[in-house]
Amino acid sequence: MATDFQRVERMLDRLENEELHVAVFGRVSAGKSALGNALLGRDAFAVGVLHGTTTDADAARLDEAAAAGLTLIDTPGINELGGEAREKLAFEVAEVCDLVVFVADGDLTREERDALRALSTTKRPLLLVLNKSDRYGEDEREGLLSRLREHAAGLIAPEDVMAVAARPAPRDVVEVDAEGHERRSSMPRPPDVAALKDRLLAIAKREGKALSAINAGLFAGRLTDQVSERIAAARRDVASRVIRQYCIAKAMAVALNPVPVADLLLAGGLDAAMVVQLGRVYGLPLTRSESGRLVAVITTQLAALMGAVWGVQLVASALKGLSGGLSVVVTAAAQGALGWYATVLIGRAAEHYLISGKSWGEHGAKRAVAGVVAALDRDSILREAREEILRRLKTGDRRSPP
């Protein structure tokens, strides 16, 4: 999380300095690093014949665009075998950049099409370039560009799909001397990236600051959502521990109290105390009277849905009193398990109410409580409860967990 906030700070710094960061993205060996070097006019990025030459994110300022603040970011290839971590890094880099140049060296593979669609979800402007275009004749090159525009339809404007040649193959030259002897040699050719460079510089000049601002806002918004989800997950975890503590406390209190009605009254008091604790967990404090009313609403709905369960609990409570204590071991686990289950239901229903901002929602308490009942596995909860209660009765451990 600290790294994410550092990214936001860097994006704000870029916005202040009017920088535009461009991610060069694509499949292994499509020529991403070579394209970056061609745009820069110098060897800023490592280029190799082996797959996976780029293993980390490197950045270099585009010298000719110093005033525009254009910065290229070279990324690892998306399809390297066993390179899941590199692919993840590539997507992360693209996410925090302002614009993405997607590099291909032929018709797009399924993997590239999937990556292109995934990148489009980041809401970053995209350019798609056909690299190594010098390998193709004019008709073949135009056919490939048409195919790329079809793949990119709805994602990239047709004019933003273009051909480049970052490292054109050397041109064979045949020289004939005065005596008629031929001498063959190779003459290097300069990169053909002018159209792409002009397009990038035009975007930087016209839209650079706006893109940086929009993308910083998008990233910060996603980060806020992630933080909110992590907070919610932490609260759910704490709430689960609170509910379990009260499950054990209530189950043992109900199982061990020999007075038939008093144990049920005690159970109601524990439910109210649990709801107060849950209110604190979710940052929505409840008074004792508020928690009591909430428990009353929940238990009323539960009674309507599960009258038979509460009937069994009342019978077990009466049986325990009439037996003079002889059937305590027989009935205590069953009664305590029902008390445990009731606590889970009340706790989860109270959670729903609190997560919704102290509201049952448009469908009311009946529908909400019914949904909680349907979502829980009653048999597994009762089984866990009976096992825990019997263990505690046998060992004499009546404490709730810390």
Side-chain angles (χ1 to χ4, degrees):
M1 184 57 68
T3 301
D4 292 332
F5 281 111
Q6 289 172 0
R7 283 182 176 179
V8 173
E9 290 179 352
R10 288 198 296 270
M11 293 179 85
L12 293 175
D13 288 341
R14 284 158 40 190
L15 180 59
E16 183 177 349
N17 296 328
E18 299 186 0
E19 295 180 2
L20 181 70
H21 284 219
V22 179
V24 184
F25 200 89
R27 184 171 48 81
V28 165
S29 299
K32 304 180 309 301
S33 299
L35 179 59
N37 291 338
L39 289 169
L40 291 165
R42 57 190 173 87
D43 291 336
F45 304 117
V47 177
V49 296
L50 297 178
H51 282 188
T53 298
T54 304
T55 59
D56 205 347
D58 300 313
R61 182 173 296 279
L62 184 58
D63 293 338
E64 295 83 355
L70 193 62
T71 299
L72 295 182
I73 308 293
D74 191 22
T75 67
I78 62 174
N79 67 324
E80 184 181 8
L81 183 64
E84 292 84 358
R86 296 184 185 184
E87 183 171 344
K88 178 176 180 291
L89 174 63
F91 276 97
E92 288 177 348
V93 171
E95 186 177 48
V96 297
C97 283
D98 305 306
L99 184 149
V100 178
V101 175
F102 196 103
V103 184
D105 60 358
D107 196 6
L108 296 184
T109 65
R110 185 182 64 179
E111 190 172 42
E112 288 174 308
R113 294 196 299 271
D114 290 342
L116 193 64
R117 285 191 291 271
L119 284 169
S120 70
T121 66
T122 68
K123 306 301 181 185
R124 298 295 185 270
L126 288 167
L127 303 179
L128 176 58
V129 299
L130 173 64
N131 193 21
K132 306 176 185 179
S133 62
D134 57 300
R135 296 180 176 181
Y136 308 107
E138 184 175 350
D139 291 342
E140 189 177 9
R141 182 169 58 249
E142 290 304 315
L144 280 173
L145 287 173
S146 295
R147 287 286 293 155
L148 293 180
R149 291 186 177 106
E150 290 177 12
H151 292 312
L155 306 177
I156 302 175
E159 62 270 22
D160 287 333
V161 179
M162 59 190 72
V164 298
R167 297 178 70 187
R171 185 178 61 206
D172 289 333
V173 177
V174 179
E175 296 178 347
V176 181
D177 61 20
E179 298 178 358
H181 298 131
E182 294 184 353
R183 187 177 65 183
R184 296 180 177 273
S185 61
S186 295
M187 180 173 294
R189 289 189 290 174
D192 180 11
V193 296
L196 175 60
K197 180 183 286 189
D198 290 344
R199 181 69 177 133
L200 289 174
L201 293 177
I203 292 173
K205 183 176 181 179
R206 186 179 66 251
E207 307 171 32
K209 193 165 186 177
L211 283 175
S212 294
I214 292 171
N215 294 333
L218 288 171
F219 183 78
R222 282 193 295 275
L223 180 58
T224 299
D225 292 341
Q226 292 171 8
V227 171
S228 298
E229 177 53 36
R230 292 181 188 182
I231 292 172
R235 283 176 167 168
R236 288 193 297 268
D237 183 59
V238 174
S240 294
R241 293 200 297 270
V242 168
I243 291 171
R244 181 174 174 80
Q245 288 174 4
Y246 278 91
C247 282
I248 294 174
K250 181 177 178 179
M252 297 306 297
V254 170
L256 296 172
N257 194 325
V259 182
V261 178
D263 56 1
L264 298 180
L265 293 175
L266 176 60
L270 287 171
D271 290 335
M274 175 184 66
V275 171
V276 169
Q277 292 294 324
L278 291 175
R280 292 172 182 167
V281 169
Y282 284 99
L284 295 169
L286 297 168
T287 65
R288 283 282 182 175
S289 60
E290 287 177 319
S291 67
R293 288 194 296 271
L294 180 56
V295 170
V297 170
I298 296 171
T299 52
T300 298
Q301 298 302 324
L302 288 174
L305 289 166
M306 306 171 63
V309 172
W310 309 131
V312 169
Q313 187 175 17
L314 287 169
V315 169
S317 179
L319 174 62
K320 186 170 63 176
L322 292 172
S323 66
L326 296 178
S327 61
V328 168
V329 174
V330 176
T331 61
Q335 186 182 7
L338 287 171
W340 180 306
Y341 179 52
T343 299
V344 173
L345 290 173
I346 292 170
R348 293 306 179 193
E351 259 196 300
H352 176 92
Y353 175 81
L354 292 165
I355 289 172
S356 301
K358 291 187 177 181
S359 168
W360 290 116
E362 59 179 318
H363 298 297
K366 181 177 180 180
R367 182 76 65 86
V369 173
V372 170
V373 172
L376 293 174
D377 184 346
R378 183 184 64 184
D379 292 340
S380 65
I381 294 172
L382 290 173
R383 183 169 55 252
E384 178 191 1
R386 283 194 299 268
E387 291 173 356
E388 182 67 19
I389 293 166
L390 286 172
R391 184 188 71 78
R392 287 174 179 267
L393 287 174
K394 290 177 182 178
T395 62
D397 182 6
R398 304 178 186 180
R399 298 169 299 169
S400 61

